[in-house]
Amino acid sequence: MEFIRKNWSGILLCLIIAVPSSLLGNMFPIIGGPVIAILAGMIITLLIRDKSSLQSGITFTSKKILQYAVIFLGFGLNLSVILSTGRQSLPIIVSTIAASLIISYILCRVMKIPGRISTLIGVGSSICGGSAIAATAPVIDADDEEVAQSISVIFFFNVLAAILFPSLGAHILGFSHDAEAFGIFAGTAVNDTSSVTAAASTWDTMFGLGSATLDKAVTVKLTRTLAIIPITLVLAFWRTKKERSSEGVKVSLKSIFPFFILYFVLASVITTVFQAMISADIITGEAAVLITGFFSFMKQVSKFFIVMAMAAIGLNTNIVKLVKSGGKPIFMGLCCWVGIACVSLGMQHVLGIW
Protein backbone atom coordinates (compact mmCIF):
# COMPACT_ATOMS: atom_id res chain seq x y z
CA MET A 1 0.00 0.00 0.00
CA GLU A 2 2.85 2.40 0.79
CA PHE A 3 4.37 1.73 -2.62
CA ILE A 4 1.07 2.52 -4.35
CA ARG A 5 0.53 5.67 -2.29
CA LYS A 6 3.97 7.02 -3.17
CA ASN A 7 4.15 6.04 -6.81
CA TRP A 8 0.70 5.80 -8.39
CA SER A 9 0.39 9.40 -9.58
CA GLY A 10 3.80 9.50 -11.28
CA ILE A 11 3.31 6.10 -12.91
CA LEU A 12 -0.15 7.15 -14.09
CA LEU A 13 1.25 10.31 -15.70
CA CYS A 14 3.86 8.24 -17.58
CA LEU A 15 1.12 5.84 -18.66
CA ILE A 16 -1.06 8.70 -19.94
CA ILE A 17 1.87 10.00 -22.02
CA ALA A 18 2.85 6.51 -23.23
CA VAL A 19 -0.52 5.47 -24.69
CA PRO A 20 -0.82 8.19 -27.37
CA SER A 21 2.95 8.10 -27.93
CA SER A 22 2.77 4.38 -28.74
CA LEU A 23 -0.16 4.92 -31.11
CA LEU A 24 1.64 7.75 -32.88
CA GLY A 25 4.81 5.65 -33.01
CA ASN A 26 2.89 2.91 -34.83
CA MET A 27 1.60 5.50 -37.30
CA PHE A 28 5.07 7.01 -37.82
CA PRO A 29 7.53 4.13 -37.27
CA ILE A 30 10.48 6.10 -38.64
CA ILE A 31 10.19 8.27 -35.51
CA GLY A 32 8.91 5.68 -33.06
CA GLY A 33 7.00 5.79 -29.79
CA PRO A 34 10.03 6.19 -27.48
CA VAL A 35 11.20 9.41 -29.14
CA ILE A 36 7.67 10.84 -29.18
CA ALA A 37 7.31 9.98 -25.48
CA ILE A 38 10.60 11.68 -24.57
CA LEU A 39 9.63 14.85 -26.44
CA ALA A 40 6.15 14.85 -24.88
CA GLY A 41 7.64 14.38 -21.41
CA MET A 42 10.08 17.25 -21.94
CA ILE A 43 7.25 19.59 -22.94
CA ILE A 44 4.79 18.48 -20.25
CA THR A 45 7.36 18.85 -17.46
CA LEU A 46 7.66 22.55 -18.34
CA LEU A 47 3.95 22.94 -17.52
CA ILE A 48 4.13 21.28 -14.09
CA ARG A 49 5.02 23.69 -11.30
CA ASP A 50 5.48 21.14 -8.52
CA LYS A 51 6.48 17.54 -9.32
CA SER A 52 7.13 16.50 -5.73
CA SER A 53 4.05 14.25 -5.52
CA LEU A 54 4.87 12.74 -8.94
CA GLN A 55 8.63 12.31 -8.64
CA SER A 56 8.73 8.95 -6.89
CA GLY A 57 6.53 7.30 -9.52
CA ILE A 58 8.42 8.98 -12.37
CA THR A 59 11.73 7.72 -10.98
CA PHE A 60 10.33 4.20 -10.53
CA THR A 61 9.18 4.21 -14.15
CA SER A 62 12.48 5.51 -15.55
CA LYS A 63 14.53 2.99 -13.56
CA LYS A 64 12.58 -0.19 -12.75
CA ILE A 65 10.07 -0.32 -15.59
CA LEU A 66 12.96 0.31 -17.97
CA GLN A 67 14.66 -2.82 -16.61
CA TYR A 68 11.43 -4.82 -16.92
CA ALA A 69 11.27 -3.70 -20.57
CA VAL A 70 14.72 -5.15 -21.20
CA ILE A 71 13.78 -8.44 -19.51
CA PHE A 72 10.61 -8.81 -21.60
CA LEU A 73 12.65 -8.03 -24.71
CA GLY A 74 14.11 -11.51 -24.29
CA PHE A 75 10.77 -13.07 -25.23
CA GLY A 76 11.34 -11.79 -28.77
CA LEU A 77 14.64 -13.62 -29.21
CA ASN A 78 14.78 -17.19 -30.48
CA LEU A 79 18.47 -17.93 -29.94
CA SER A 80 18.61 -20.96 -32.24
CA VAL A 81 17.20 -19.04 -35.21
CA ILE A 82 19.45 -16.07 -34.58
CA LEU A 83 22.59 -18.18 -34.21
CA SER A 84 21.88 -20.31 -37.28
CA THR A 85 20.97 -17.48 -39.67
CA GLY A 86 23.02 -14.69 -38.13
CA ARG A 87 26.35 -16.52 -38.17
CA GLN A 88 27.29 -15.07 -41.57
CA SER A 89 26.95 -11.51 -40.29
CA LEU A 90 28.74 -12.11 -36.97
CA PRO A 91 32.21 -10.85 -38.09
CA ILE A 92 30.59 -7.68 -39.43
CA ILE A 93 28.60 -7.16 -36.22
CA VAL A 94 31.69 -7.60 -34.03
CA SER A 95 33.68 -5.22 -36.22
CA THR A 96 31.01 -2.49 -36.23
CA ILE A 97 30.52 -2.71 -32.47
CA ALA A 98 34.27 -2.46 -31.91
CA ALA A 99 34.52 0.51 -34.29
CA SER A 100 31.74 2.42 -32.56
CA LEU A 101 33.11 1.82 -29.07
CA ILE A 102 36.64 2.81 -30.11
CA ILE A 103 35.42 6.00 -31.82
CA SER A 104 33.30 7.00 -28.83
CA TYR A 105 36.18 6.32 -26.43
CA ILE A 106 38.66 8.38 -28.46
CA LEU A 107 36.25 11.31 -28.83
CA CYS A 108 35.38 11.11 -25.14
CA ARG A 109 39.05 11.65 -24.27
CA VAL A 110 39.85 14.19 -27.01
CA MET A 111 36.68 16.32 -26.79
CA LYS A 112 36.10 15.94 -23.02
CA ILE A 113 32.60 14.53 -23.52
CA PRO A 114 31.15 13.03 -20.29
CA GLY A 115 31.98 9.36 -20.02
CA ARG A 116 28.47 8.07 -19.44
CA ILE A 117 27.04 9.92 -22.44
CA SER A 118 29.93 8.63 -24.56
CA THR A 119 29.26 5.07 -23.43
CA LEU A 120 25.54 5.31 -24.12
CA ILE A 121 26.06 6.79 -27.60
CA GLY A 122 28.75 4.23 -28.44
CA VAL A 123 26.63 1.30 -27.26
CA GLY A 124 23.39 2.67 -28.73
CA SER A 125 25.00 3.30 -32.12
CA SER A 126 26.65 -0.09 -32.34
CA ILE A 127 24.10 -2.50 -30.85
CA CYS A 128 20.42 -1.65 -31.04
CA GLY A 129 19.67 1.97 -30.31
CA GLY A 130 17.17 2.61 -27.54
CA SER A 131 17.11 -0.98 -26.24
CA ALA A 132 20.88 -1.01 -25.73
CA ILE A 133 20.76 2.37 -24.02
CA ALA A 134 17.93 1.10 -21.80
CA ALA A 135 20.02 -1.92 -20.79
CA THR A 136 23.25 0.01 -20.29
CA ALA A 137 21.98 3.06 -18.39
CA PRO A 138 21.30 1.27 -15.06
CA VAL A 139 24.65 -0.52 -15.20
CA ILE A 140 26.70 2.70 -15.51
CA ASP A 141 24.28 4.70 -13.30
CA ALA A 142 23.45 7.20 -16.06
CA ASP A 143 20.93 9.87 -15.11
CA ASP A 144 17.78 10.64 -17.07
CA GLU A 145 19.21 13.67 -18.87
CA GLU A 146 22.15 11.60 -20.12
CA VAL A 147 19.77 8.91 -21.35
CA ALA A 148 17.54 11.50 -23.05
CA GLN A 149 20.50 13.12 -24.77
CA SER A 150 21.81 9.78 -26.02
CA ILE A 151 18.38 8.68 -27.27
CA SER A 152 17.98 12.01 -29.09
CA VAL A 153 21.33 11.62 -30.86
CA ILE A 154 20.55 8.02 -31.87
CA PHE A 155 17.11 9.05 -33.11
CA PHE A 156 18.52 11.79 -35.34
CA PHE A 157 20.86 9.44 -37.17
CA ASN A 158 18.22 6.69 -37.29
CA VAL A 159 15.97 8.97 -39.31
CA LEU A 160 18.82 9.97 -41.63
CA ALA A 161 19.77 6.32 -42.19
CA ALA A 162 16.21 5.23 -42.95
CA ILE A 163 15.85 8.04 -45.49
CA LEU A 164 19.30 8.04 -47.10
CA PHE A 165 20.56 4.46 -47.07
CA PRO A 166 18.20 2.95 -49.70
CA SER A 167 19.12 5.67 -52.21
CA LEU A 168 22.79 5.42 -51.21
CA GLY A 169 22.76 1.66 -51.75
CA ALA A 170 20.98 1.84 -55.09
CA HIS A 171 22.68 4.80 -56.76
CA ILE A 172 26.16 5.10 -55.21
CA LEU A 173 27.18 1.81 -53.63
CA GLY A 174 25.76 -0.32 -56.41
CA PHE A 175 24.01 -2.99 -54.35
CA SER A 176 21.73 -3.44 -57.37
CA HIS A 177 18.82 -5.78 -56.49
CA ASP A 178 20.78 -7.67 -53.83
CA ALA A 179 18.51 -8.33 -50.83
CA GLU A 180 21.24 -10.09 -48.87
CA ALA A 181 23.92 -7.38 -49.16
CA PHE A 182 21.59 -4.48 -48.38
CA GLY A 183 19.87 -6.49 -45.64
CA ILE A 184 23.20 -7.04 -43.89
CA PHE A 185 24.13 -3.39 -44.42
CA ALA A 186 20.84 -2.15 -42.93
CA GLY A 187 21.02 -4.67 -40.08
CA THR A 188 24.54 -3.65 -39.08
CA ALA A 189 24.71 0.06 -39.97
CA VAL A 190 21.29 1.31 -38.79
CA ASN A 191 20.83 1.71 -35.05
CA ASP A 192 17.21 1.10 -34.06
CA THR A 193 14.86 -1.71 -35.09
CA SER A 194 12.19 0.67 -36.42
CA SER A 195 14.68 2.36 -38.74
CA VAL A 196 16.19 -0.97 -39.82
CA THR A 197 12.67 -2.08 -40.73
CA ALA A 198 11.96 1.18 -42.58
CA ALA A 199 15.18 1.05 -44.64
CA ALA A 200 14.86 -2.66 -45.49
CA SER A 201 11.16 -2.36 -46.39
CA THR A 202 11.95 0.56 -48.69
CA TRP A 203 14.58 -1.55 -50.47
CA ASP A 204 12.13 -4.43 -50.89
CA THR A 205 9.57 -2.03 -52.36
CA MET A 206 12.09 -0.39 -54.70
CA PHE A 207 13.06 -3.72 -56.31
CA GLY A 208 9.96 -5.85 -55.76
CA LEU A 209 11.71 -8.32 -53.44
CA GLY A 210 8.74 -9.14 -51.23
CA SER A 211 10.19 -9.29 -47.70
CA ALA A 212 13.59 -10.84 -48.49
CA THR A 213 15.62 -7.78 -47.46
CA LEU A 214 13.48 -7.17 -44.40
CA ASP A 215 13.83 -10.75 -43.18
CA LYS A 216 17.62 -10.61 -43.55
CA ALA A 217 17.96 -7.18 -41.94
CA VAL A 218 15.79 -8.05 -38.92
CA THR A 219 17.69 -11.31 -38.32
CA VAL A 220 21.00 -9.45 -38.38
CA LYS A 221 19.55 -6.79 -36.11
CA LEU A 222 18.38 -9.40 -33.58
CA THR A 223 21.84 -10.97 -33.65
CA ARG A 224 23.28 -7.55 -32.78
CA THR A 225 20.83 -7.36 -29.87
CA LEU A 226 22.56 -10.32 -28.20
CA ALA A 227 25.63 -8.10 -27.77
CA ILE A 228 23.71 -6.41 -24.94
CA ILE A 229 24.68 -9.35 -22.74
CA PRO A 230 28.52 -9.21 -22.89
CA ILE A 231 28.60 -5.40 -23.13
CA THR A 232 26.57 -4.84 -19.94
CA LEU A 233 28.51 -7.49 -18.03
CA VAL A 234 31.85 -5.97 -19.07
CA LEU A 235 30.63 -2.49 -18.07
CA ALA A 236 29.52 -3.83 -14.68
CA PHE A 237 32.98 -5.30 -14.02
CA TRP A 238 34.64 -2.11 -15.29
CA ARG A 239 32.54 0.11 -13.04
CA THR A 240 33.24 -2.11 -10.03
CA LYS A 241 36.98 -1.97 -10.64
CA LYS A 242 36.91 1.80 -11.20
CA GLU A 243 34.92 2.55 -8.06
CA ARG A 244 37.01 0.20 -5.95
CA SER A 245 40.12 2.07 -7.04
CA SER A 246 38.63 5.44 -6.01
CA GLU A 247 39.94 6.62 -2.69
CA GLY A 248 37.57 5.90 0.15
CA VAL A 249 34.98 4.15 -2.04
CA LYS A 250 34.13 0.51 -1.51
CA VAL A 251 31.70 -1.15 -3.86
CA SER A 252 30.91 -4.80 -4.51
CA LEU A 253 30.13 -6.31 -7.88
CA LYS A 254 26.94 -7.74 -6.41
CA SER A 255 25.61 -4.27 -5.62
CA ILE A 256 25.78 -3.09 -9.24
CA PHE A 257 25.64 -6.39 -11.16
CA PRO A 258 22.91 -6.16 -13.84
CA PHE A 259 20.78 -9.08 -12.66
CA PHE A 260 18.00 -7.97 -15.00
CA ILE A 261 20.29 -9.01 -17.88
CA LEU A 262 20.30 -12.55 -16.50
CA TYR A 263 16.50 -12.49 -16.55
CA PHE A 264 16.71 -11.22 -20.14
CA VAL A 265 18.86 -14.25 -20.99
CA LEU A 266 16.43 -16.54 -19.15
CA ALA A 267 13.50 -15.13 -21.14
CA SER A 268 15.43 -15.75 -24.37
CA VAL A 269 16.21 -19.34 -23.35
CA ILE A 270 12.57 -20.00 -22.43
CA THR A 271 11.47 -18.64 -25.81
CA THR A 272 14.05 -20.75 -27.64
CA VAL A 273 13.12 -23.97 -25.83
CA PHE A 274 9.37 -23.62 -26.25
CA GLN A 275 9.58 -22.57 -29.91
CA ALA A 276 11.84 -25.57 -30.58
CA MET A 277 9.24 -27.84 -28.94
CA ILE A 278 6.50 -26.28 -31.08
CA SER A 279 8.59 -26.73 -34.25
CA ALA A 280 9.19 -30.39 -33.34
CA ASP A 281 5.44 -30.92 -32.73
CA ILE A 282 6.08 -31.79 -29.11
CA ILE A 283 3.67 -28.99 -28.24
CA THR A 284 0.77 -28.70 -30.65
CA GLY A 285 -2.74 -27.39 -31.03
CA GLU A 286 -4.21 -24.86 -28.64
CA ALA A 287 -1.21 -25.02 -26.30
CA ALA A 288 1.14 -24.01 -29.13
CA VAL A 289 -1.16 -21.14 -30.09
CA LEU A 290 -1.35 -19.92 -26.48
CA ILE A 291 2.43 -20.05 -25.99
CA THR A 292 3.12 -18.26 -29.27
CA GLY A 293 0.53 -15.65 -28.35
CA PHE A 294 2.13 -15.18 -24.92
CA PHE A 295 5.56 -14.52 -26.45
CA SER A 296 4.04 -12.05 -28.91
CA PHE A 297 2.19 -10.30 -26.07
CA MET A 298 5.35 -10.00 -23.95
CA LYS A 299 7.22 -8.45 -26.90
CA GLN A 300 4.49 -5.81 -27.15
CA VAL A 301 4.64 -5.21 -23.37
CA SER A 302 8.39 -4.71 -23.68
CA LYS A 303 7.92 -2.09 -26.38
CA PHE A 304 5.25 -0.29 -24.37
CA PHE A 305 7.34 -0.32 -21.18
CA ILE A 306 10.21 1.29 -23.09
CA VAL A 307 7.82 4.03 -24.22
CA MET A 308 6.63 4.52 -20.62
CA ALA A 309 10.21 4.72 -19.38
CA MET A 310 11.11 7.25 -22.07
CA ALA A 311 8.13 9.37 -21.00
CA ALA A 312 9.50 9.35 -17.46
CA ILE A 313 12.97 10.25 -18.70
CA GLY A 314 11.49 13.15 -20.66
CA LEU A 315 9.71 14.37 -17.52
CA ASN A 316 13.05 14.38 -15.70
CA THR A 317 14.91 16.22 -18.48
CA ASN A 318 15.69 19.91 -18.78
CA ILE A 319 15.16 20.55 -22.48
CA VAL A 320 17.00 23.89 -22.40
CA LYS A 321 20.10 22.28 -20.89
CA LEU A 322 19.81 19.40 -23.35
CA VAL A 323 19.86 21.73 -26.36
CA LYS A 324 22.75 23.82 -25.02
CA SER A 325 24.97 20.80 -24.38
CA GLY A 326 24.02 18.83 -27.51
CA GLY A 327 26.77 19.84 -29.97
CA LYS A 328 29.54 17.47 -28.94
CA PRO A 329 27.29 14.40 -28.46
CA ILE A 330 25.76 14.97 -31.91
CA PHE A 331 29.24 15.11 -33.46
CA MET A 332 30.13 11.88 -31.63
CA GLY A 333 26.94 10.27 -32.93
CA LEU A 334 27.84 11.37 -36.47
CA CYS A 335 31.34 9.89 -36.20
CA CYS A 336 30.02 6.60 -34.81
CA TRP A 337 27.33 6.46 -37.52
CA VAL A 338 29.78 7.07 -40.38
CA GLY A 339 32.36 4.73 -38.84
CA ILE A 340 29.86 1.88 -38.48
CA ALA A 341 28.59 2.30 -42.05
CA CYS A 342 32.13 2.29 -43.48
CA VAL A 343 33.21 -0.73 -41.44
CA SER A 344 30.05 -2.63 -42.41
CA LEU A 345 30.70 -2.00 -46.11
CA GLY A 346 34.40 -2.79 -45.76
CA MET A 347 33.75 -6.10 -44.00
CA GLN A 348 31.13 -7.10 -46.57
CA HIS A 349 33.69 -6.47 -49.29
CA VAL A 350 36.35 -8.51 -47.46
CA LEU A 351 33.92 -11.41 -46.92
CA GLY A 352 32.81 -11.32 -50.57
CA ILE A 353 29.18 -10.47 -49.78
CA TRP A 354 29.23 -7.19 -51.69
Side-chain angles (χ1 to χ4, degrees):
M1 290 300 293
E2 178 65 17
F3 170 82
I4 295 174
R5 186 188 66 79
K6 288 177 59 179
N7 295 293
W8 75 269
S9 57
I11 295 174
L12 179 61
L13 176 60
C14 296
L15 179 64
I16 291 171
I17 296 172
V19 171
S21 297
S22 293
L23 294 175
L24 288 170
N26 291 332
M27 294 172 61
F28 305 101
I30 195 171
I31 299 174
V35 173
I36 294 172
I38 280 185
L39 294 175
M42 289 179 183
I43 294 169
I44 290 171
T45 197
L46 297 174
L47 307 177
I48 303 174
R49 292 185 178 181
D50 182 9
K51 288 196 301 184
S52 57
S53 62
L54 303 168
Q55 193 58 56
S56 179
I58 292 172
T59 301
F60 176 83
T61 305
S62 70
K63 302 298 182 185
K64 291 298 181 181
I65 288 185
L66 188 60
Q67 293 184 18
Y68 299 151
V70 175
I71 294 170
F72 295 157
L73 182 67
F75 288 106
L77 296 176
N78 185 328
L79 300 178
S80 62
V81 173
I82 292 171
L83 293 176
S84 62
T85 60
R87 190 180 299 114
Q88 177 194 32
S89 60
L90 188 59
I92 303 173
I93 292 170
V94 172
S95 299
T96 53
I97 290 174
S100 181
L101 295 178
I102 291 170
I103 289 170
S104 62
Y105 176 76
I106 292 172
L107 292 180
C108 171
R109 301 298 294 269
V110 172
M111 300 181 66
K112 310 298 182 185
I113 300 173
R116 286 179 294 204
I117 289 178
S118 300
T119 301
L120 292 177
I121 292 175
V123 169
S125 297
S126 61
I127 300 177
C128 54
S131 300
I133 291 174
T136 304
V139 179
I140 63 174
D141 197 28
D143 63 36
D144 287 346
E145 289 192 351
E146 290 167 331
V147 173
Q149 190 156 51
S150 305
I151 290 283
S152 300
V153 170
I154 297 300
F155 156 72
F156 178 70
F157 292 106
N158 276 339
V159 172
L160 285 182
I163 295 172
L164 298 178
F165 278 7
S167 295
L168 179 70
H171 303 301
I172 298 176
L173 298 176
F175 279 129
S176 186
H177 295 56
D178 195 336
E180 181 180 35
F182 188 81
I184 292 175
F185 178 59
T188 53
V190 184
N191 303 329
D192 197 72
T193 303
S194 60
S195 295
V196 170
T197 301
S201 298
T202 299
W203 188 264
D204 280 332
T205 301
M206 288 169 62
F207 298 108
L209 298 173
S211 64
T213 311
L214 179 61
D215 293 343
K216 187 67 177 183
V218 170
T219 301
V220 173
K221 179 66 176 59
L222 291 176
T223 307
R224 282 172 68 192
T225 302
L226 294 179
I228 287 176
I229 300 168
I231 288 292
T232 50
L233 295 179
V234 168
L235 287 172
F237 281 104
W238 173 80
R239 182 183 165 201
T240 304
K241 182 178 179 180
K242 181 179 178 182
E243 295 193 7
R244 280 176 177 171
S245 65
S246 300
E247 186 176 352
V249 176
K250 293 183 179 180
V251 63
S252 65
L253 177 62
K254 184 179 179 180
S255 67
I256 62 174
F257 188 82
F259 284 100
F260 68 95
I261 292 296
L262 298 184
Y263 298 131
F264 163 79
V265 175
L266 178 61
S268 302
V269 171
I270 290 172
T271 302
T272 303
V273 170
F274 275 95
Q275 289 190 349
M277 293 174 71
I278 291 171
S279 297
D281 291 331
I282 297 173
I283 299 176
T284 59
E286 187 175 338
V289 173
L290 287 173
I291 291 171
T292 302
F294 171 77
F295 292 148
S296 178
F297 172 73
M298 294 306 289
K299 285 166 59 179
Q300 295 305 315
V301 171
S302 170
K303 292 178 181 179
F304 185 75
F305 274 11
I306 287 180
V307 175
M308 270 190 75
M310 293 305 114
I313 286 168
L315 289 167
N316 278 338
T317 300
N318 184 328
I319 192 170
V320 176
K321 181 180 176 182
L322 187 69
V323 171
K324 287 182 177 179
S325 60
K328 289 182 179 180
I330 289 174
F331 180 74
M332 173 180 283
L334 171 64
C335 292
C336 289
W337 183 58
V338 173
I340 288 170
C342 291
V343 170
S344 175
L345 293 172
M347 286 297 296
Q348 282 203 58
H349 185 69
V350 169
L351 295 172
I353 298 171
W354 169 54

